[in-house]
């Protein structure tokens, strides 16, 4: 290969299946449905198996530090400790809390560990900084924690995080990192920053959104021999291929540009035309037959064509709806002028599937008449707010939105009878009927100007090509994140990843997903 030739790109990330998600109440129902089965024994054994796999490298001869709390999470830790000790791993178990107050199964697990020759410590050894731990296991608290950790628990969490960081050893959380709300992803005071989390029975939404991804590390699942969806219907799901497969089909050879719809992008007031152009470029790159961009900028200096994407058809915003559109997006760079309000009112009155973002959402939040027009639309409506925009629409503080992102997305969806993607770490997608999904793709490179415009353009493209509203939003959110991950895998990002690069990568990933599977010989 010539030294000037570009390095080959890695294969595109595959479109993986989604998985069910359960909050604490649903998990309690699953445990009740499986009453009588040795779930704690299975959980501890699974934890020991994973722990053994994680202990590698030059420090693999060091001891394992296990933190066992006062509840069933601590019981899981005791079972794991017993199995690891039986495999001749040196185990130092720190027991926190009053064992006499523990649930019956946890007390039995503790006794079995002691009967097998195990011993307990009441605190992390003072010589710990000089001990090279092979692994730290967090078994303090699981999904039931609803208050900040204090006292000895908080001290143990801080110490465990410090040891894992300074010594470079894995930190494995059992079921949910202690101090993290498994339902919402909120950090409740000091919280474990795990490098790995082993979820039991099913994944928890709090591991996937808000602060969850930064505290959970690599996720693993031990179903404990239960078929969770068969026992209790899932409350939510991650976004996966089963939600998108019906639309991810190869294009027919006998096609023309009219076969793939016409998307309209309305926005781009003076000084913000780039936002509308970015959305239009993304819609074009995702395969829309024709893309019309209606610019709100009516100054003499307004662009009449896009020099980087001459295929885009630019026109004044007033004439956009005269184009033969199959989907419309409004908001990128729209501004909040009286004229912008009029354009939004006209857009809401169309019978087109409609994506609303950015200033379109801010106008809605400030005008009850527009909000009512949205809530009573017959055509599909899709909203893509970030947390601050969601807070304006709900009339609350941003902290309230972030305190329960699933509930906030559901509230918006029901209030406006629309599909909603609440953007952020672990974007939450909510349907008007109450269903919800959490996206697992994406990285911090998407925290940059213009990335929201790219998502709007991708969504408009899928709608224009005939995708159903919910499937289009799920597909756009997951594709947008996967494109960013694909680029990061090549060294382009996360730092410095641009919106324009993400749009091009989204085209590559989308085409890879839409190809038929290779035939075996």
């Amino acid at each position: 290969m010539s030294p000037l030739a570009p390095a080959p790109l890695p294969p595109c990330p595959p479109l993986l299946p989604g998985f069910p998600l359960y909050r604490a109440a649903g998990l309690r129902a699953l445990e009740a449905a499986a009453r009588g089965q040795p779930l704690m024994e299975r959980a501890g054994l699974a934890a020991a198996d994973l722990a053994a796999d994680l202990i590698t490298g030059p420090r693999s001869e060091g001891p394992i530090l296990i933190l066992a709390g006062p509840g069933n999470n601590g019981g899981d830790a005791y079972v794991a400790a017993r199995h690891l000790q039986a495999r001749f791993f040196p185990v130092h178990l720190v027991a926190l809390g009053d064992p006499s107050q523990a649930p019956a199964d946890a007390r039995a697990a503790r006794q079995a560990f002691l009967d097998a020759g195990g011993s307990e410590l009441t605190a992390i050894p003072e010589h710990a900084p000089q001990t090279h731990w092979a692994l730290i296991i967090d078994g303090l608290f699981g999904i039931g924690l609803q208050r900040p950790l204090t006292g000895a628990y908080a001290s143990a969490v801080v110490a465990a995080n410090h040891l894992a960081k300074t010594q470079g050893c894995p930190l494995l959380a059992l079921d949910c990192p202690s101090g993290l709300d498994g339902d919402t992803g909120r950090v409740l005071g000091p919280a474990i920053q795990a490098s790995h989390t082993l979820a039991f029975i099913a994944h928890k939404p709090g591991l996937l959104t808000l602060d969850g991804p930064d505290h959970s590390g690599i996720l693993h699942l031990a179903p404990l021999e239960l078929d969770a969806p068969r026992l209790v219907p899932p409350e939510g799901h991650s976004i996966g291929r089963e939600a998108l497969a019906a639309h991810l089909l190869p294009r027919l050879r006998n096609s023309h540009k009219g076969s793939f719809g016409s998307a309209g992008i309305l926005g781009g007031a003076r000084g913000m035309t780039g936002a509308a152009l970015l959305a239009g470029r993304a819609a074009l790159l995702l395969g829309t037959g024709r893309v019309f961009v209606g610019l709100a900028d009516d100054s003499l200096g307004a662009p009449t064509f896009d020099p980087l994407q001459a295929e885009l058809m630019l026109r004044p915003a007033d004439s956009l709806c005269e184009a033969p559109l199959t989907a419309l997006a409004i908001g990128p760079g729209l501004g909040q002028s009286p004229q912008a309000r009029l354009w939004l009112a006209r857009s809401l009155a169309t019978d087109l599937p409609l994506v609303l973002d950015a200033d379109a959402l801010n106008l809605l939040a400030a005008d009850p008449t527009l909000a009512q027009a949205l809530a009573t639309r017959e055509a599909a409506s899709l909203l893509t707010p970030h947390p601050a925009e969601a807070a304006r629409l709900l009339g609350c503080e941003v902290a309230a939105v972030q305190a329960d992102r699933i509930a906030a997305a559901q509230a918006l969806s029901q209030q406006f009878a629309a599909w909603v993607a609440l953007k952020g770490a672990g974007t939450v997608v909510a349907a008007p009927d109450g269903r919800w999904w959490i996206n697992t793709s994406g990285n911090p490179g998407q925290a940059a100007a213009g990335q929201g415009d790219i998502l709007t353009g991708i969504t408009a493209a899928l709608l224009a090509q005939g995708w159903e509203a919910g499937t289009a939003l799920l597909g756009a959110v997951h594709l947008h994140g996967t494109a960013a991950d694909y680029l990061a895998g090549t060294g382009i990002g996360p730092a410095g990843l641009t919106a324009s690069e993400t749009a091009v990568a989204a085209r590559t990933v989308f085409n890879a997903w839409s190809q038929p599977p290779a035939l075996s010989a």
Side-chain angles (χ1 to χ4, degrees):
M1 178 182 295
S2 165
L4 298 180
L9 291 175
C12 290
L15 181 53
L16 300 173
F19 47 81
L21 297 170
Y22 292 85
R23 288 178 281 200
L27 290 161
R28 298 301 185 213
L30 282 166
E31 291 171 351
R35 184 175 289 113
Q37 298 192 46
L39 298 183
M40 187 171 290
E41 183 64 28
R42 294 172 185 169
L45 177 58
D49 289 342
L50 178 56
D53 289 340
L54 294 177
I55 298 175
T56 59
R59 294 181 177 174
S60 60
E61 299 300 320
I64 301 172
L65 175 63
I66 300 180
L67 307 178
N72 285 330
N73 198 245
D76 299 334
Y78 275 108
V79 175
R82 173 166 54 82
H83 283 289
L84 288 168
Q85 190 167 263
R87 301 177 196 183
F88 304 104
F89 286 101
V91 170
H92 293 197
L93 186 143
V94 177
L96 298 175
D98 183 356
S100 67
Q101 300 301 311
D105 286 350
R107 293 198 305 271
R110 172 178 178 266
Q111 191 60 52
F113 170 69
L114 296 175
D115 290 344
S119 60
E120 298 173 319
L121 302 170
T122 58
I124 297 175
E126 293 183 2
H127 63 275
Q130 286 74 46
T131 300
H132 292 296
W133 303 103
L135 173 72
I136 301 172
I137 297 178
D138 161 37
L140 290 174
F141 293 95
I143 58 172
L145 186 68
Q146 295 294 316
R147 63 185 187 279
L149 297 177
T150 59
Y153 300 119
S155 298
V157 165
V158 171
N161 287 338
H162 177 73
L163 289 170
K165 181 178 181 179
T166 56
Q167 297 191 7
C169 67
L171 201 173
L172 170 62
L174 302 186
D175 208 24
C176 181
S178 295
L180 181 77
D181 187 324
D183 284 356
T184 65
R186 288 186 304 138
V187 167
L188 305 171
I192 287 289
Q193 292 182 303
S195 58
H196 296 263
T197 295
L198 177 61
F200 299 133
I201 302 179
H203 283 299
K204 291 78 185 165
L207 303 179
L208 306 179
T209 194
L210 197 61
D211 296 313
D214 288 324
H215 285 262
S216 302
I218 299 171
L219 297 182
H220 309 261
L221 176 65
L224 308 188
E225 302 180 28
L226 300 182
D227 184 351
R230 186 183 64 82
L231 293 173
V232 176
E235 300 172 69
H237 292 84
S238 69
I239 302 174
R241 63 187 177 211
E242 60 284 322
L244 314 178
H247 290 292
L248 290 172
L249 302 172
R251 293 190 163 191
L252 297 176
R253 290 178 178 270
N254 185 20
S255 300
H256 54 84
K257 64 185 178 184
S259 304
F260 306 111
S262 298
I265 308 293
L266 203 165
R270 188 172 184 179
M272 298 182 288
T273 55
L277 293 177
L278 282 172
R281 292 170 189 169
L284 195 66
L285 289 168
L286 260 291
T288 311
R290 293 179 293 181
V291 179
F292 299 85
V293 179
L295 290 178
D297 183 359
D298 59 359
S299 69
L300 292 177
T304 56
F305 80 104
D306 180 359
L308 296 183
Q309 204 74 68
E311 298 89 347
L312 292 177
M313 289 174 275
L314 275 56
R315 55 186 57 198
D318 277 329
S319 63
L320 178 62
C321 287
E322 298 172 6
L325 303 179
T326 54
L328 175 62
I330 181 169
L334 180 66
Q336 300 182 51
S337 67
Q339 187 62 47
R341 184 202 176 281
L342 178 60
W343 288 321
L344 178 55
R346 290 175 180 172
S347 299
L348 292 169
T350 69
D351 59 0
L352 294 169
L354 180 63
V355 187
L356 299 101
D357 185 36
D359 280 327
L361 301 176
N362 294 326
L363 287 166
L364 279 171
D367 192 322
T369 302
L370 291 175
Q372 179 64 21
L374 172 60
T376 54
R377 289 191 87 230
E378 293 187 8
S381 305
L382 297 80
L383 280 60
T384 59
H386 57 55
E389 292 162 345
R392 294 183 198 114
L393 290 166
L394 291 171
C396 66
E397 298 296 323
V398 174
V401 170
Q402 295 291 72
D404 194 335
R405 289 169 51 78
I406 295 171
Q410 288 178 309
L412 283 172
S413 182
Q414 292 166 17
Q415 177 177 334
F416 295 111
W419 283 82
V420 171
L422 177 56
K423 295 182 288 194
T427 292
V428 178
V429 177
D433 61 8
R435 291 176 295 157
W436 53 269
W437 292 258
I438 297 181
N439 186 45
T440 55
S441 67
N443 62 65
Q446 294 169 274
Q451 291 285 1
D453 304 319
I454 299 302
L455 176 62
T456 295
I458 293 173
T459 308
L462 299 183
L463 285 172
Q465 294 172 64
W467 286 44
E468 298 165 344
T471 309
L473 191 56
L474 291 169
V477 166
H478 196 62
L479 176 60
H480 185 223
T482 304
D485 289 339
Y486 175 57
L487 288 171
T490 70
I492 304 173
L497 177 64
T498 67
S500 297
E501 290 169 321
T502 308
V504 175
R507 175 180 62 185
T508 301
V509 175
F510 183 67
N511 278 299
W513 285 356
S514 301
Q515 296 306 309
L519 297 176
S520 57

